[in-house]
Amino acid sequence: MKRRDLLRALAIAPWLALVPAGARAKAGVGSTIAAAYGTLPPPQAIRRVFAAGAPASVLLSVLAPEKLIGWPFKVSEEARAWLAPVVRALPQVGRLAGRGSTASNEALLQMKPDVILDVGTVDATYLSAMQRVAEQTGLPCLLVQGRMADHPAQLREVGRLLGVAARGERLAAWAEETLALAERARNEVPPGARPRVYYGRGGDGLETGLDGSINMEAIEIAGGRNVAAESGRGGLTKVSPEQILAWDPEVIVTQDREFARGVLADPLWRPVAAVRARRVHLAPSLPFGWLDGPPGVNRLVGVRWLIERLHPGRAGGEAALQTAARDFYRLFYGMEPDGAGLSAMIGGPA
Amino acid sequence: MNDAPDLSRGPSTHGAGVAAAVNAGAPCRPAAAWLAGAAALLAVLAVAFATGKFPVAPADLLRALVARLSGSESGLPEAVETVIWNIRLPRVAAGVVVGAVLAAAGAAYQGMFRNPLVSPDILGVSAGAGLGATLGIYLGLPLIFVQVVAFGGGIIAVAIVYRLASLVRRHDPVLVLVLAGVALGALLGAGISLVKILSDPYTQLPTITFWLLGGLNQVISRDLATTAPAMLAGLLPMALLRWRINLLGLADEEAAALGVDVGRLRLVLVTAATLSTAAAVSLAGIVGWVGLVVPHVARLLVGPDFTRLLPASLMLGAGFLVATDTLARTIAPIELPLGILTAVVGAPFFLWLLARTGRPA
């Protein structure tokens, strides 16, 4: 008996060590700030911010581009051309993701950030991993919730914490307006009448997201019905062409050029309603995906695009979509998109 | 489909002396058992054809079949025709060939390396193909090139292993070959992990993960047309050399004394198994367990004589993979990765068979 108690105590001990520190994490009601470890410096003292993951780096690059130290992931040359000069040349510095980290704590200290920012779906594993980073490096860590509905509050709150409250407010207003447009579309189109959408990922288009997957958020918000939701809740999954024929989606959206190019001519996909009606839409993916990849504020412009593609006319038509996209690039990415390039990227309705 | 050799022939044809020596005490099966096996395989294929996410009534299936055979119009909706001929047919056919090839390569390797724990990827073919595919996805290559790079990666990995092993002369060549394969496999596995951590976690990583887990859900007839010739070409030497492979189970000197050029035979077999396995992996991703365990099941049923082990492995491998793939696409609302299911289904079945056949009669 004694030995078993000792073993149990030994097993629990490491977890107990987490508790007092965990109590420091604060989460206000209705706030997108999931946790903060360590003491955040006052806004004017925050000059360099390390983005722990891709969504955080996108948030930083739109809110306070001059404070972003580097990109946590590989940003292609093609994508860099669509970014403001101040972030275009930033190096890839690695990410923090528990064991999946590619930036070491030592490298982190060498970069001398004033704060570490992470954005995403926050769970206990993630919280404890970031807490450990904060303890080891002594750097304050800020964790922010990253669902799409959180974007306006996220832009506002992080903007305030970084000392760019006015800019955060402007971006949040754009986000709110877009989400309101989406809500109107949802209110006007009853659930049963919403188009059934298949989101094809990967070169063969056979990867998709189940109900509740963060990759599918934009589709649900823009008033589409994810056909894969019939298969239950979860993340990404692989499906067979047979399954897609059984679902028979009315609209197919994708971010993969190879898939979009091939699907209309592929005899395998010919019986699908979306292909027969030629409602297959390629979402732009520069500098970041309009639908997902990463699941950050970059998707806001995609919501407008989706509303127009799923419910033609409800986002004001093609011309209004072009204008909205130009505004988004100007406002968020701080770059003036060349009109021809932008319209080529957005493409027509079919 | 596999035209397995020796299906109708009895156990005692040519090479009978050696075969009987290798094979002392193995159960002697009459032709009826082979026919029963073939019938079971056909039943599995029929079930595979009749099930799936897209509801196709058995009557419609029959109508489509009759129409196709008689060359007339079936009058069925295009979606049903597409499901039957463009989706299920390539998928079931791929299951047959991939399962047969992996099991046959496993049987050949287990005999050649005199080791029951050997699977067709022991010389690094899966790891090489995996690294090739992973790199292809990371670099954003079109799917067809991902397949080509995977195939090439598998071949190159084994070529390197074989070359390395031939440089070492002081040890048992079989042992050196296996050890070199294990070492290079580990190195390539590390390479795969490196590419995974460098890839975009939101777009490329899921694709890489799904590829590495294996699956037949994406197979279209074009893929099959490009890979099946390589798979079948690899089977040919195994079928032709089937009784000589028995001799590799002996020590090298003894086999040489019986007039076998052991080194050359081994090279031919490694080349054949690698060609077919690399093609199978480039088509289906990494599907483990089939090449390791199906040969054992076959051996429990027909004994170790390769002239009978090969056709038994071909049939069992084909049946097992088609059956597993049918489960993969039906038991859950989502499609389950084949590589996971082969282990989940195969391991308990194997243990059950082991316990059952181990019992004294």
Side-chain angles (χ1 to χ4, degrees):
Chain A
M1 263 315 182
K2 258 193 172 157
R3 197 159 140 243
R4 192 187 297 167
D5 286 343
L6 180 68
L7 283 176
R8 190 177 298 156
L10 281 176
I12 291 173
W15 301 106
L16 282 179
L18 286 177
V19 174
R24 273 184 293 163
K26 53 171 187 208
V29 182
S31 163
T32 59
I33 311 293
Y37 299 110
T39 327
L40 279 191
Q44 64 278 10
I46 300 179
R47 287 192 193 85
R48 294 169 61 78
V49 184
F50 182 88
S57 66
V58 176
L59 182 66
L60 262 173
S61 72
V62 303
L63 267 177
E66 64 290 342
K67 297 188 182 185
L68 181 65
I69 294 179
W71 296 103
F73 63 107
K74 190 170 174 278
V75 181
S76 68
E77 287 309 313
E78 215 184 356
R80 284 178 191 267
W82 289 85
L83 289 168
V86 59
V87 290
R88 190 177 293 164
L90 286 179
Q92 181 185 352
V93 291
R95 63 172 180 259
L96 290 176
R99 287 204 187 276
S101 298
T102 50
S104 72
N105 285 345
E106 291 188 22
L108 197 57
L109 283 173
Q110 214 163 19
M111 289 180 238
K112 296 198 178 66
D114 300 309
V115 64
I116 297 169
L117 175 73
D118 199 7
V119 177
T121 330
V122 176
D123 62 13
T125 316
Y126 232 85
L127 281 176
S128 49
M130 288 307 284
Q131 187 181 16
R132 185 170 298 200
V133 170
E135 277 167 13
Q136 278 185 314
T137 59
L139 296 168
C141 288
L142 187 65
L143 277 83
V144 182
Q145 291 287 5
R147 286 272 166 183
M148 192 170 262
D150 299 329
H151 284 334
Q154 192 185 62
L155 287 160
R156 228 170 243 134
E157 285 180 299
V158 177
R160 215 175 298 135
L161 289 172
L162 296 180
V164 287
R167 179 165 174 78
E169 189 54 49
R170 267 205 311 282
L171 302 187
W174 200 95
E176 258 161 4
E177 198 189 311
T178 298
L179 293 179
L181 196 65
E183 196 183 353
R184 250 195 324 276
R186 287 200 307 276
N187 286 340
E188 286 165 18
V189 186
R194 292 180 193 162
R196 302 173 68 253
V197 185
Y198 174 76
Y199 178 17
R201 294 170 48 104
D204 56 11
L206 294 178
E207 272 168 40
T208 195
L210 295 171
D211 192 25
S213 147
I214 196 160
N215 311 86
M216 311 301 287
E217 264 191 314
I219 290 166
E220 297 288 342
I221 284 194
R225 275 186 294 163
N226 173 14
V227 288
E230 289 165 21
S231 290
R233 290 186 66 83
L236 290 180
T237 185
K238 193 101 184 170
V239 297
S240 71
E242 183 171 337
Q243 175 72 78
I244 293 161
L245 288 187
W247 280 333
D248 201 23
E250 296 159 81
V251 183
I252 293 174
V253 292
T254 182
Q255 238 169 238
D256 194 288
R257 252 173 278 182
E258 188 186 358
F259 171 57
R261 244 198 311 259
V263 65
L264 284 175
D266 193 333
L268 218 57
W269 291 76
R270 203 170 46 210
V272 178
V275 174
R276 275 183 283 136
R278 302 190 76 77
R279 290 187 74 181
V280 177
H281 304 293
L282 173 66
S285 53
L286 293 173
F288 310 114
W290 280 27
L291 295 179
D292 71 350
V297 287
N298 46 300
R299 300 172 297 170
L300 285 165
V301 64
V303 172
R304 293 248 183 176
W305 176 84
L306 263 177
I307 299 170
E308 190 57 41
R309 292 292 171 264
L310 299 184
H311 318 279
R314 282 192 196 274
E318 288 304 311
L321 178 63
Q322 289 266 355
T323 315
R326 184 166 306 115
D327 286 348
F328 180 84
Y329 276 76
R330 204 179 280 152
L331 194 59
F332 280 68
Y333 295 137
M335 60 91 60
E336 193 61 44
D338 122 58
L342 192 67
S343 52
M345 188 159 86
I346 296 175
Chain B
M1 313 272 150
N2 67 77
D3 33 357
D6 271 19
L7 262 181
S8 51
R9 229 177 269 169
S12 54
T13 46
H14 53 240
V18 182
V22 173
N23 176 19
C28 201
R29 303 275 162 158
W34 288 105
L35 283 177
L41 178 59
L42 279 177
V44 168
L45 296 188
V47 171
F49 239 109
T51 47
K53 295 284 185 212
F54 193 99
V56 178
D60 286 351
L61 193 67
L62 213 62
R63 214 162 92 201
L65 210 64
V66 170
R68 179 60 61 109
L69 290 177
S70 63
S72 61
E73 283 292 316
S74 70
L76 293 167
E78 191 190 3
V80 176
E81 290 273 342
T82 305
V83 164
I84 296 173
W85 302 116
N86 299 353
I87 296 175
R88 282 196 201 156
L89 180 65
R91 186 163 183 168
V92 172
V96 168
V97 201
V98 170
V101 153
L102 291 177
Y109 269 15
Q110 285 172 7
M112 181 165 84
F113 292 121
R114 299 170 212 134
N115 187 330
L117 293 176
V118 160
S119 63
D121 47 17
I122 190 76
L123 298 185
V125 62
S126 294
L131 182 60
T134 309
L135 271 174
I137 296 166
Y138 176 68
L139 297 173
L141 300 183
L143 288 177
I144 182 78
F145 290 112
V146 171
Q147 209 175 53
V148 171
V149 182
F151 180 71
I155 305 265
I156 291 169
V158 177
I160 293 174
V161 165
Y162 200 88
R163 182 76 192 119
L164 283 177
S166 67
L167 293 176
V168 182
R169 296 191 172 276
R170 274 174 301 172
H171 302 280
D172 171 18
V174 168
L175 184 67
V176 170
L177 203 54
V178 171
L179 291 179
V182 169
L184 193 78
L187 189 64
L188 294 170
I192 293 176
S193 302
L194 179 68
V195 178
K196 278 171 91 171
I197 205 156
L198 293 178
S199 66
D200 182 335
Y202 300 101
T203 54
Q204 297 169 329
L205 191 58
T207 309
I208 291 175
T209 308
F210 288 126
W211 195 97
L212 291 174
L213 288 173
L216 296 172
N217 53 343
Q218 81 298 353
V219 172
I220 53 173
S221 28
R222 196 175 56 232
D223 298 332
L224 205 58
T226 50
T227 52
M231 287 193 258
L232 298 177
L235 281 184
L236 201 65
M238 289 186 226
L240 294 176
L241 297 169
R242 60 192 179 276
W243 81 265
R244 249 189 250 194
I245 292 170
N246 281 328
L247 299 178
L248 285 179
L250 305 170
D252 283 6
E253 299 79 26
E254 289 175 49
L258 286 170
V260 178
D261 184 341
V262 178
R264 219 175 68 197
L265 181 56
R266 204 174 279 140
L267 177 63
V268 170
L269 271 187
V270 167
T271 310
T274 301
L275 183 68
S276 52
T277 312
V281 175
S282 74
L283 178 67
I286 295 178
V287 180
W289 191 256
V290 181
L292 178 66
V293 160
V294 170
H296 284 289
V297 177
R299 210 172 289 117
L300 288 172
L301 293 174
V302 303
D305 175 5
F306 198 74
T307 56
R308 279 182 284 149
L309 187 59
L310 179 68
S313 296
L314 286 170
M315 286 169 64
L316 278 170
F320 175 68
L321 204 64
V322 171
T324 321
D325 184 53
T326 309
L327 287 178
R329 57 202 167 95
T330 48
I331 55 171
I334 59 164
E335 185 106 0
L336 293 174
L338 192 56
I340 293 175
L341 218 60
T342 49
V344 171
V345 173
F349 175 72
F350 178 61
L351 291 173
W352 170 78
L353 196 74
L354 204 62
R356 221 184 67 105
T357 52
R359 217 181 292 150

